[in-house]
Amino acid sequence: MPALGCCVDAAVAPPAYANSPLGSLPAPPPLPLSFISGAPPPTPMSPTSASAGSVAADVDASHWSPSHSASLYKIDSWGAPYFAVNPSGNVSVRPYGHATLAHQEIDLLKIVKKVSDPKSVGGLGLQLPLIVRLPDVLRDRLESLQSAFEFAIQTQGYEARYQGVFPVKCNQDRFVVEDIVKFGSKFRFGLEAGSKPELLLAMSCLCKGSPEALLVCNGFKDAEYITLALLARKLDLNAVIVLEQEEEVDLVIEISKKLNVRPVIGARAKLRTKHSGHFGSTSGEEGKFGLTTTQILRVVKKLEVAEMLDCFQLLHFHIGSQIPSTALLTDGVGEAAQIYCELVRLGANMQVIDIGGGLGIDYDGSKSADSDLSVAYTLEEYASAVVQAIRYVCDRKNVKHPVLCSESGRAIVSHHSILIFEAVSASVSRAAPVAMSPLGLQYLVEGLTEDARSDYTKMTTTALRGEFETCLFYADQLKQRCIEQFKDGTLGIEQLATVDGLCDFVAKEIGASDPVRTYHVNLSIFTSIPDYWGIGQLFPIVPIHHLDERPGVRGVLSDLTCDSDGKIDKFIGGGSSLPLHEMVGGGGGGERGPYYLGMFLGGAYEEALGGVHNLFGGPSVVRVLQSDGPHSFAVTRAMPGPSCGDVLRVMQHEPELMFETLKHRAEEYCGQEHGSNGGDGYTDDYDHGMANNSALASSLAQYFHSMPYLVVPSSCSLTAINDGGGLYYCNGEDYDAVVDSSPNEDEQWSYCYA
């Protein structure tokens, strides 16, 4: 067998080398037989594959079992108690967590088959990628959170209750929010909103929830937002306006007096306690939101002057998402409890501490406090730390224990949603070398420079001596010299391919190379997993079937977009590739059938970020040209951004039905303000009540048509001119001058100068 007989196919000499004097070259030194046969060398180098592959390396394929796959992909760690590998080698869902019985487990592959099979054979005929939502898991997560706090309250003698809220920004999907309200009604579970469309959504959904459920109104606020929150109180919803900026208190005082509504006010405190991880950027004194202690004191003074200090009832804070440890949690909660007790001392009618978000989940199964991907506590330990910290401070200050509230969105919804997608093809970055004749080997060596020939000789010599590190050095140096020759035009493409195959073969044979394949998957990472692209957030990604077989290759995932960032090459556990199974036959239509993978724990934020985060929608768009007008530009076209109703429709809500629900609520509750007094005043009261109801309904309708963004006061009054294809704007005061100064008649309606 020739020395490199299994490396490269170059049996036909390239034209440039056809007449070369082959006999003048010495034969290259042969590689050892073990290289050619594929047998492992005596002392191979450690493989470069990630540690996650150690299970696969230690277990023979014939002895592989589903439990080995569960260990390899850490499903028993990050997936417990909701995900497991069943005896068929498929990922199964345990919808009730630890209480799930064997016959209640759901095989994910069967779901995919039902959904994707054609209608002619009983399927739904839907195309992947697919999001599978599991309301039972959602219910179990909510009930588990409630149970953890109730247990901590009972065992520690805490003298108030826990009632949480779900921050709808985590997942605004209609059915997710409605399910949470329904499942949490018996616990007084409420909602948190951070924008006007989110507030409309929450108001509509909570009409079917517990009357005591909190509606926490966070985020930056303008007059519209505050008015809507006060209207919610008119509808007998338990809305709390949480001040994020000091000036918001002035608007609350002014508007509440105009509407004759007694508000419930909270304040977000900017704590000194800071979460040092990636998710802690909104915490600490330099955080984006919240009031300093100085600002809180000024708010107290303003409310006292307005005789509204009794309206101040809630203290809110947020250390940051994914709080890694209970030590940091205890520190922050303790600081907030001190502020709460001081507010009680100052005369505020304090009732609730809202500890915000931060309850993390274990994305990688490591249960570590040293990673943004994990947390070092359980639900029970989290709840216990919160209760203990607040009870300790309040007892020392002789302050009544407050109602406990949290905004634990990530912990509630992450597990209930699974993204399933299909690998459509696979490619290998380093193709396997093919056979080469002795003549082809001579062509290769003949075309090399003297330095490259020397590298080739040293590579083979060091391989024979078992000096594998040195062998790799010369292999890499040989490859680089040949690339330079190819760029100079002195080496043909056949010879370059020969060298590539040779060097890859050498690296593989001495155990230094583990060729990684690229699996092309049918989704857009930017739409379906935006946090991976945006902030490097990692999620568990696992084949949902074939887990009774040992994965034989490692791969990265490449989406179908034309963007170079559309690739996943970092995975939980620190690996730069993922253990995968061979795609026999080339992919979706191959002999083994489709190859499905699932991304887990992505129920929070991914859908919202991929669509309309915080329900803000897209911006308005204006087209501006340079002009000869007084200010040198013209707005030639202005297209409004999506309204609140538009973005709600994107998330499957129906604004018309939502409006009817709120309108009915207005008629039911606001009508009670004008009771039947009998006598001559009855008709007047009735008519006045009907007029108020009509005005309130009209006001609510307007919110669905307005944009989600803040209404910023401006001295520029815009007048619209409509040409049938879009809106054109100019300053109302300058309108006549614009028309008079226009170059011709046509531009009177198509251009407005500023």
PDB file of all heavy atoms in Angstrom, residues 535-560:
ATOM      1  N   ILE A 535     -27.548  38.515  23.130  1.00  0.00           N
ATOM      2  CA  ILE A 535     -26.782  38.597  24.379  1.00  0.00           C
ATOM      3  C   ILE A 535     -26.014  37.317  24.688  1.00  0.00           C
ATOM      4  O   ILE A 535     -25.437  37.192  25.766  1.00  0.00           O
ATOM      5  CB  ILE A 535     -27.697  38.954  25.564  1.00  0.00           C
ATOM      6  CG1 ILE A 535     -28.750  37.865  25.795  1.00  0.00           C
ATOM      7  CG2 ILE A 535     -28.372  40.303  25.354  1.00  0.00           C
ATOM      8  CD1 ILE A 535     -29.577  38.074  27.063  1.00  0.00           C
ATOM      9  N   GLY A 536     -26.017  36.367  23.753  1.00  0.00           N
ATOM     10  CA  GLY A 536     -25.281  35.125  23.988  1.00  0.00           C
ATOM     11  C   GLY A 536     -25.944  34.188  24.976  1.00  0.00           C
ATOM     12  O   GLY A 536     -25.290  33.306  25.546  1.00  0.00           O
ATOM     13  N   GLN A 537     -27.259  34.349  25.188  1.00  0.00           N
ATOM     14  CA  GLN A 537     -27.994  33.462  26.095  1.00  0.00           C
ATOM     15  C   GLN A 537     -28.040  32.048  25.518  1.00  0.00           C
ATOM     16  O   GLN A 537     -28.386  31.850  24.359  1.00  0.00           O
ATOM     17  CB  GLN A 537     -29.415  33.989  26.278  1.00  0.00           C
ATOM     18  CG  GLN A 537     -30.338  33.056  27.033  1.00  0.00           C
ATOM     19  CD  GLN A 537     -30.041  33.016  28.518  1.00  0.00           C
ATOM     20  OE1 GLN A 537     -29.771  34.037  29.124  1.00  0.00           O
ATOM     21  NE2 GLN A 537     -30.095  31.844  29.102  1.00  0.00           N
ATOM     22  N   LEU A 538     -27.688  31.070  26.315  1.00  0.00           N
ATOM     23  CA  LEU A 538     -27.698  29.676  25.872  1.00  0.00           C
ATOM     24  C   LEU A 538     -28.933  28.963  26.404  1.00  0.00           C
ATOM     25  O   LEU A 538     -29.353  29.194  27.540  1.00  0.00           O
ATOM     26  CB  LEU A 538     -26.440  28.944  26.349  1.00  0.00           C
ATOM     27  CG  LEU A 538     -25.090  29.536  25.935  1.00  0.00           C
ATOM     28  CD1 LEU A 538     -23.954  28.628  26.381  1.00  0.00           C
ATOM     29  CD2 LEU A 538     -25.015  29.778  24.428  1.00  0.00           C
ATOM     30  N   PHE A 539     -29.487  28.105  25.580  1.00  0.00           N
ATOM     31  CA  PHE A 539     -30.639  27.293  25.956  1.00  0.00           C
ATOM     32  C   PHE A 539     -30.307  25.822  25.699  1.00  0.00           C
ATOM     33  O   PHE A 539     -29.520  25.508  24.796  1.00  0.00           O
ATOM     34  CB  PHE A 539     -31.865  27.675  25.119  1.00  0.00           C
ATOM     35  CG  PHE A 539     -32.326  29.090  25.309  1.00  0.00           C
ATOM     36  CD1 PHE A 539     -31.847  30.108  24.506  1.00  0.00           C
ATOM     37  CD2 PHE A 539     -33.242  29.407  26.306  1.00  0.00           C
ATOM     38  CE1 PHE A 539     -32.267  31.413  24.675  1.00  0.00           C
ATOM     39  CE2 PHE A 539     -33.670  30.706  26.487  1.00  0.00           C
ATOM     40  CZ  PHE A 539     -33.183  31.719  25.672  1.00  0.00           C
ATOM     41  N   PRO A 540     -30.902  24.909  26.452  1.00  0.00           N
ATOM     42  CA  PRO A 540     -30.697  23.487  26.167  1.00  0.00           C
ATOM     43  C   PRO A 540     -31.260  23.135  24.787  1.00  0.00           C
ATOM     44  O   PRO A 540     -32.426  23.429  24.499  1.00  0.00           O
ATOM     45  CB  PRO A 540     -31.474  22.777  27.276  1.00  0.00           C
ATOM     46  CG  PRO A 540     -31.694  23.810  28.337  1.00  0.00           C
ATOM     47  CD  PRO A 540     -31.766  25.121  27.629  1.00  0.00           C
ATOM     48  N   ILE A 541     -30.440  22.536  23.943  1.00  0.00           N
ATOM     49  CA  ILE A 541     -30.862  22.069  22.622  1.00  0.00           C
ATOM     50  C   ILE A 541     -30.531  20.586  22.529  1.00  0.00           C
ATOM     51  O   ILE A 541     -29.382  20.186  22.764  1.00  0.00           O
ATOM     52  CB  ILE A 541     -30.171  22.852  21.489  1.00  0.00           C
ATOM     53  CG1 ILE A 541     -30.571  24.335  21.575  1.00  0.00           C
ATOM     54  CG2 ILE A 541     -30.532  22.277  20.126  1.00  0.00           C
ATOM     55  CD1 ILE A 541     -29.891  25.219  20.543  1.00  0.00           C
ATOM     56  N   VAL A 542     -31.529  19.793  22.198  1.00  0.00           N
ATOM     57  CA  VAL A 542     -31.404  18.340  22.278  1.00  0.00           C
ATOM     58  C   VAL A 542     -32.170  17.696  21.117  1.00  0.00           C
ATOM     59  O   VAL A 542     -33.261  18.161  20.781  1.00  0.00           O
ATOM     60  CB  VAL A 542     -32.005  17.827  23.611  1.00  0.00           C
ATOM     61  CG1 VAL A 542     -31.929  16.314  23.711  1.00  0.00           C
ATOM     62  CG2 VAL A 542     -31.319  18.470  24.807  1.00  0.00           C
ATOM     63  N   PRO A 543     -31.637  16.617  20.512  1.00  0.00           N
ATOM     64  CA  PRO A 543     -32.475  15.834  19.585  1.00  0.00           C
ATOM     65  C   PRO A 543     -33.659  15.271  20.377  1.00  0.00           C
ATOM     66  O   PRO A 543     -33.482  14.778  21.491  1.00  0.00           O
ATOM     67  CB  PRO A 543     -31.543  14.712  19.111  1.00  0.00           C
ATOM     68  CG  PRO A 543     -30.159  15.175  19.442  1.00  0.00           C
ATOM     69  CD  PRO A 543     -30.279  16.052  20.633  1.00  0.00           C
ATOM     70  N   ILE A 544     -34.840  15.325  19.825  1.00  0.00           N
ATOM     71  CA  ILE A 544     -35.998  14.830  20.585  1.00  0.00           C
ATOM     72  C   ILE A 544     -36.271  13.359  20.322  1.00  0.00           C
ATOM     73  O   ILE A 544     -37.216  12.790  20.884  1.00  0.00           O
ATOM     74  CB  ILE A 544     -37.259  15.668  20.299  1.00  0.00           C
ATOM     75  CG1 ILE A 544     -37.731  15.472  18.848  1.00  0.00           C
ATOM     76  CG2 ILE A 544     -37.020  17.137  20.614  1.00  0.00           C
ATOM     77  CD1 ILE A 544     -39.140  16.000  18.602  1.00  0.00           C
ATOM     78  N   HIS A 545     -35.458  12.708  19.489  1.00  0.00           N
ATOM     79  CA  HIS A 545     -35.608  11.275  19.239  1.00  0.00           C
ATOM     80  C   HIS A 545     -34.241  10.674  18.930  1.00  0.00           C
ATOM     81  O   HIS A 545     -33.227  11.369  18.962  1.00  0.00           O
ATOM     82  CB  HIS A 545     -36.608  11.008  18.107  1.00  0.00           C
ATOM     83  CG  HIS A 545     -36.280  11.675  16.807  1.00  0.00           C
ATOM     84  ND1 HIS A 545     -36.614  11.155  15.581  1.00  0.00           N
ATOM     85  CD2 HIS A 545     -35.637  12.847  16.523  1.00  0.00           C
ATOM     86  CE1 HIS A 545     -36.214  11.965  14.625  1.00  0.00           C
ATOM     87  NE2 HIS A 545     -35.620  12.992  15.171  1.00  0.00           N
ATOM     88  N   HIS A 546     -34.206   9.347  18.684  1.00  0.00           N
ATOM     89  CA  HIS A 546     -32.950   8.598  18.480  1.00  0.00           C
ATOM     90  C   HIS A 546     -32.065   8.617  19.732  1.00  0.00           C
ATOM     91  O   HIS A 546     -30.855   8.372  19.629  1.00  0.00           O
ATOM     92  CB  HIS A 546     -32.157   9.149  17.292  1.00  0.00           C
ATOM     93  CG  HIS A 546     -32.858   9.014  15.976  1.00  0.00           C
ATOM     94  ND1 HIS A 546     -33.283   7.801  15.480  1.00  0.00           N
ATOM     95  CD2 HIS A 546     -33.216   9.948  15.074  1.00  0.00           C
ATOM     96  CE1 HIS A 546     -33.871   7.990  14.310  1.00  0.00           C
ATOM     97  NE2 HIS A 546     -33.861   9.283  14.041  1.00  0.00           N
ATOM     98  N   LEU A 547     -32.638   8.882  20.892  1.00  0.00           N
ATOM     99  CA  LEU A 547     -31.828   8.954  22.101  1.00  0.00           C
ATOM    100  C   LEU A 547     -31.547   7.583  22.700  1.00  0.00           C
ATOM    101  O   LEU A 547     -30.887   7.493  23.746  1.00  0.00           O
ATOM    102  CB  LEU A 547     -32.508   9.866  23.121  1.00  0.00           C
ATOM    103  CG  LEU A 547     -32.664  11.326  22.665  1.00  0.00           C
ATOM    104  CD1 LEU A 547     -33.394  12.154  23.711  1.00  0.00           C
ATOM    105  CD2 LEU A 547     -31.309  11.954  22.339  1.00  0.00           C
ATOM    106  N   ASP A 548     -32.020   6.521  22.050  1.00  0.00           N
ATOM    107  CA  ASP A 548     -31.607   5.171  22.418  1.00  0.00           C
ATOM    108  C   ASP A 548     -30.398   4.726  21.605  1.00  0.00           C
ATOM    109  O   ASP A 548     -29.969   3.582  21.695  1.00  0.00           O
ATOM    110  CB  ASP A 548     -32.755   4.176  22.228  1.00  0.00           C
ATOM    111  CG  ASP A 548     -33.337   4.236  20.825  1.00  0.00           C
ATOM    112  OD1 ASP A 548     -33.045   5.202  20.083  1.00  0.00           O
ATOM    113  OD2 ASP A 548     -34.099   3.312  20.464  1.00  0.00           O
ATOM    114  N   GLU A 549     -29.854   5.666  20.817  1.00  0.00           N
ATOM    115  CA  GLU A 549     -28.667   5.399  20.003  1.00  0.00           C
ATOM    116  C   GLU A 549     -27.544   6.345  20.417  1.00  0.00           C
ATOM    117  O   GLU A 549     -27.793   7.497  20.773  1.00  0.00           O
ATOM    118  CB  GLU A 549     -28.973   5.623  18.515  1.00  0.00           C
ATOM    119  CG  GLU A 549     -30.172   4.857  17.992  1.00  0.00           C
ATOM    120  CD  GLU A 549     -30.574   5.323  16.602  1.00  0.00           C
ATOM    121  OE1 GLU A 549     -29.708   5.886  15.896  1.00  0.00           O
ATOM    122  OE2 GLU A 549     -31.750   5.156  16.236  1.00  0.00           O
ATOM    123  N   ARG A 550     -26.341   5.861  20.339  1.00  0.00           N
ATOM    124  CA  ARG A 550     -25.190   6.705  20.656  1.00  0.00           C
ATOM    125  C   ARG A 550     -24.974   7.730  19.541  1.00  0.00           C
ATOM    126  O   ARG A 550     -24.893   7.364  18.371  1.00  0.00           O
ATOM    127  CB  ARG A 550     -23.945   5.849  20.808  1.00  0.00           C
ATOM    128  CG  ARG A 550     -22.665   6.654  20.987  1.00  0.00           C
ATOM    129  CD  ARG A 550     -21.452   5.767  21.114  1.00  0.00           C
ATOM    130  NE  ARG A 550     -20.217   6.520  21.032  1.00  0.00           N
ATOM    131  CZ  ARG A 550     -19.003   6.011  21.164  1.00  0.00           C
ATOM    132  NH1 ARG A 550     -18.869   4.709  21.378  1.00  0.00           N
ATOM    133  NH2 ARG A 550     -17.932   6.763  21.084  1.00  0.00           N
ATOM    134  N   PRO A 551     -24.895   9.035  19.864  1.00  0.00           N
ATOM    135  CA  PRO A 551     -24.604  10.031  18.829  1.00  0.00           C
ATOM    136  C   PRO A 551     -23.194   9.827  18.291  1.00  0.00           C
ATOM    137  O   PRO A 551     -22.239   9.701  19.067  1.00  0.00           O
ATOM    138  CB  PRO A 551     -24.751  11.366  19.565  1.00  0.00           C
ATOM    139  CG  PRO A 551     -24.570  11.046  21.003  1.00  0.00           C
ATOM    140  CD  PRO A 551     -25.057   9.651  21.194  1.00  0.00           C
ATOM    141  N   GLY A 552     -23.066   9.791  16.966  1.00  0.00           N
ATOM    142  CA  GLY A 552     -21.778   9.448  16.368  1.00  0.00           C
ATOM    143  C   GLY A 552     -20.968  10.620  15.878  1.00  0.00           C
ATOM    144  O   GLY A 552     -19.796  10.452  15.512  1.00  0.00           O
ATOM    145  N   VAL A 553     -21.543  11.816  15.845  1.00  0.00           N
ATOM    146  CA  VAL A 553     -20.821  12.974  15.322  1.00  0.00           C
ATOM    147  C   VAL A 553     -21.066  14.163  16.237  1.00  0.00           C
ATOM    148  O   VAL A 553     -21.917  14.119  17.125  1.00  0.00           O
ATOM    149  CB  VAL A 553     -21.270  13.329  13.880  1.00  0.00           C
ATOM    150  CG1 VAL A 553     -20.987  12.176  12.935  1.00  0.00           C
ATOM    151  CG2 VAL A 553     -22.750  13.689  13.847  1.00  0.00           C
ATOM    152  N   ARG A 554     -20.312  15.216  16.000  1.00  0.00           N
ATOM    153  CA  ARG A 554     -20.540  16.479  16.684  1.00  0.00           C
ATOM    154  C   ARG A 554     -20.867  17.527  15.630  1.00  0.00           C
ATOM    155  O   ARG A 554     -20.336  17.484  14.521  1.00  0.00           O
ATOM    156  CB  ARG A 554     -19.328  16.907  17.510  1.00  0.00           C
ATOM    157  CG  ARG A 554     -18.930  15.879  18.568  1.00  0.00           C
ATOM    158  CD  ARG A 554     -17.920  16.456  19.534  1.00  0.00           C
ATOM    159  NE  ARG A 554     -18.509  17.505  20.357  1.00  0.00           N
ATOM    160  CZ  ARG A 554     -19.137  17.296  21.510  1.00  0.00           C
ATOM    161  NH1 ARG A 554     -19.283  16.057  21.975  1.00  0.00           N
ATOM    162  NH2 ARG A 554     -19.635  18.294  22.201  1.00  0.00           N
ATOM    163  N   GLY A 555     -21.735  18.472  15.991  1.00  0.00           N
ATOM    164  CA  GLY A 555     -22.148  19.446  14.999  1.00  0.00           C
ATOM    165  C   GLY A 555     -22.481  20.792  15.595  1.00  0.00           C
ATOM    166  O   GLY A 555     -22.692  20.945  16.799  1.00  0.00           O
ATOM    167  N   VAL A 556     -22.509  21.799  14.723  1.00  0.00           N
ATOM    168  CA  VAL A 556     -23.047  23.115  15.047  1.00  0.00           C
ATOM    169  C   VAL A 556     -24.298  23.301  14.212  1.00  0.00           C
ATOM    170  O   VAL A 556     -24.525  22.582  13.232  1.00  0.00           O
ATOM    171  CB  VAL A 556     -22.020  24.228  14.769  1.00  0.00           C
ATOM    172  CG1 VAL A 556     -20.794  24.045  15.630  1.00  0.00           C
ATOM    173  CG2 VAL A 556     -21.639  24.268  13.291  1.00  0.00           C
ATOM    174  N   LEU A 557     -25.126  24.269  14.592  1.00  0.00           N
ATOM    175  CA  LEU A 557     -26.400  24.479  13.915  1.00  0.00           C
ATOM    176  C   LEU A 557     -26.355  25.785  13.141  1.00  0.00           C
ATOM    177  O   LEU A 557     -25.992  26.834  13.681  1.00  0.00           O
ATOM    178  CB  LEU A 557     -27.545  24.514  14.932  1.00  0.00           C
ATOM    179  CG  LEU A 557     -27.630  23.321  15.890  1.00  0.00           C
ATOM    180  CD1 LEU A 557     -28.803  23.493  16.849  1.00  0.00           C
ATOM    181  CD2 LEU A 557     -27.747  22.008  15.134  1.00  0.00           C
ATOM    182  N   SER A 558     -26.736  25.710  11.886  1.00  0.00           N
ATOM    183  CA  SER A 558     -26.762  26.888  11.025  1.00  0.00           C
ATOM    184  C   SER A 558     -28.174  27.076  10.507  1.00  0.00           C
ATOM    185  O   SER A 558     -28.779  26.136   9.982  1.00  0.00           O
ATOM    186  CB  SER A 558     -25.778  26.708   9.860  1.00  0.00           C
ATOM    187  OG  SER A 558     -25.853  27.795   8.962  1.00  0.00           O
ATOM    188  N   ASP A 559     -28.723  28.306  10.685  1.00  0.00           N
ATOM    189  CA  ASP A 559     -30.094  28.527  10.221  1.00  0.00           C
ATOM    190  C   ASP A 559     -30.114  28.796   8.719  1.00  0.00           C
ATOM    191  O   ASP A 559     -29.072  28.793   8.051  1.00  0.00           O
ATOM    192  CB  ASP A 559     -30.787  29.628  11.031  1.00  0.00           C
ATOM    193  CG  ASP A 559     -30.264  31.032  10.728  1.00  0.00           C
ATOM    194  OD1 ASP A 559     -29.411  31.191   9.842  1.00  0.00           O
ATOM    195  OD2 ASP A 559     -30.719  31.985  11.388  1.00  0.00           O
ATOM    196  N   LEU A 560     -31.294  29.045   8.195  1.00  0.00           N
ATOM    197  CA  LEU A 560     -31.454  29.179   6.748  1.00  0.00           C
ATOM    198  C   LEU A 560     -31.379  30.622   6.269  1.00  0.00           C
ATOM    199  O   LEU A 560     -31.618  30.888   5.095  1.00  0.00           O
ATOM    200  CB  LEU A 560     -32.797  28.565   6.320  1.00  0.00           C
ATOM    201  CG  LEU A 560     -32.960  27.067   6.610  1.00  0.00           C
ATOM    202  CD1 LEU A 560     -34.291  26.570   6.076  1.00  0.00           C
ATOM    203  CD2 LEU A 560     -31.813  26.270   6.017  1.00  0.00           C
TER     204      LEU A 560
END
